């Protein structure tokens, strides 16, 4: 199973979530995308549910010398969340990772300002919050996002991704009330291999998607 692009993946997620919503268990739902790649996936979901679409900016902390390998993540001003097993196996320390954390914190705040401007974060109390990304590899970024959101007292917290590594999906389930992953291939190397088109999502695409959805589905 491969998705043509992120939008098609979002449409597939939307169909499944519409089945869940039909049970009447979604209370004032809101869709939060993890930018940048999660935004084009989340847009069809929010549209199908007639729900507001917003972003939760999270940043992966990469391995020194290999930034694509995530060994931690940050959200907002929360302390960094590390994959402690990976950090120990690699002989690293949080002090040594300090420069990476500082760099990602700066980029996180830049993107928050770019995507959200002066707009306040939405009130999530007692709402159904659906967190969407384009896939789940190590899961450390999604884990940091879910822990951050749990502190904002949602009524129901759902993680929805089109594809994910089976072990990562299994390990992250305790962090959410529900986890929806459409495809869990046993041979999983990277999220991008399960998309025919996995071009990088740009800042402009994120901003345009948020603006267009806000115009058609304002916050209730």
């Amino acid at each position: 199973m491969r998705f043509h692009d992120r939008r098609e993946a979002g449409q597939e997620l939307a169909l499944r979530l519409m089945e869940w919503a039909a049970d009447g268990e979604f209370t004032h739902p809101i869709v939060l995308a993890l930018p940048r790649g999660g935004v084009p996936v989340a847009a069809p979901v929010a549209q199908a549910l007639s729900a507001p679409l917003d972003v939760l900016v999270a940043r992966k902390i990469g391995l020194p010398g290999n930034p694509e390998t995530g060994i931690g993540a940050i959200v907002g001003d929360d302390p960094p969340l590390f994959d402690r097993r990976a950090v120990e196996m690699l002989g690293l320390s949080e002090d040594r990772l300090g420069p990476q954390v500082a760099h990602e914190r700066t980029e996180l705040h830049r993107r928050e300002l770019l995507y959200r401007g002066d707009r306040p974060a939405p009130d999530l109390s007692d709402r159904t919050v659906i967190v969407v990304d384009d896939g789940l590899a190590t899961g450390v970024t999604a884990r940091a996002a879910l822990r951050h959101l749990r502190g904002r007292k949602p009524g129901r917290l759902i993680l929805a991704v089109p594809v994910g590594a089976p072990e990562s999906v299994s390990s992250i389930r305790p962090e959410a009330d529900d986890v929806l992953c459409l495809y869990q291939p046993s041979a999983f190397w990277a999220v991008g291999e399960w998309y025919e088109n996995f071009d990088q999502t740009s800042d402009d695409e994120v901003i345009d998607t948020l603006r267009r959805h806000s115009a058609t589905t304002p916050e209730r």
Side-chain angles (χ1 to χ4, degrees), residues 25-181:
E25 297 181 358
F26 283 8
T27 302
H28 196 185
I30 182 170
V31 178
L32 296 183
L34 300 184
R36 294 182 287 203
V39 173
V41 182
V45 172
Q47 183 177 16
L49 296 174
S50 298
L53 172 64
D54 211 323
V55 291
L56 177 67
V57 182
R59 292 294 298 171
K60 175 173 63 179
I61 301 167
L63 181 67
N66 186 7
E68 292 304 311
T69 301
I71 55 174
I74 52 173
V75 180
D77 292 319
D78 294 356
L81 175 68
F82 289 106
D83 181 339
R84 298 201 174 278
R85 181 181 177 187
V87 169
E88 291 173 2
M89 287 179 60
L90 293 166
L92 298 171
S93 67
E94 294 188 21
D95 288 342
R96 183 180 171 188
L97 292 168
Q100 279 85 359
V101 173
H103 172 78
E104 296 303 337
R105 187 87 68 185
T106 298
E107 177 62 14
L108 184 151
H109 289 315
R110 183 194 74 82
R111 293 196 185 192
E112 284 183 331
L113 181 61
L114 182 64
Y115 301 155
R116 311 195 80 257
D118 295 331
R119 185 161 45 87
D123 182 5
L124 305 181
S125 301
D126 300 322
R127 302 179 69 168
T128 296
V129 178
I130 303 167
V131 182
V132 178
D133 203 358
D134 54 15
L136 196 70
T138 65
V140 66
T141 303
R143 187 183 304 276
L146 292 169
R147 290 189 180 181
H148 172 84
L149 292 170
R150 186 65 79 184
R152 293 169 63 183
K153 309 299 182 184
R156 182 179 182 185
L157 185 57
I158 299 171
L159 174 66
V161 293
V163 62
E167 63 274 16
S168 297
V169 174
S170 178
S171 67
I172 208 167
R173 288 192 183 278
E175 306 288 349
D177 297 308
D178 297 284
V179 175
L180 172 60
C181 182

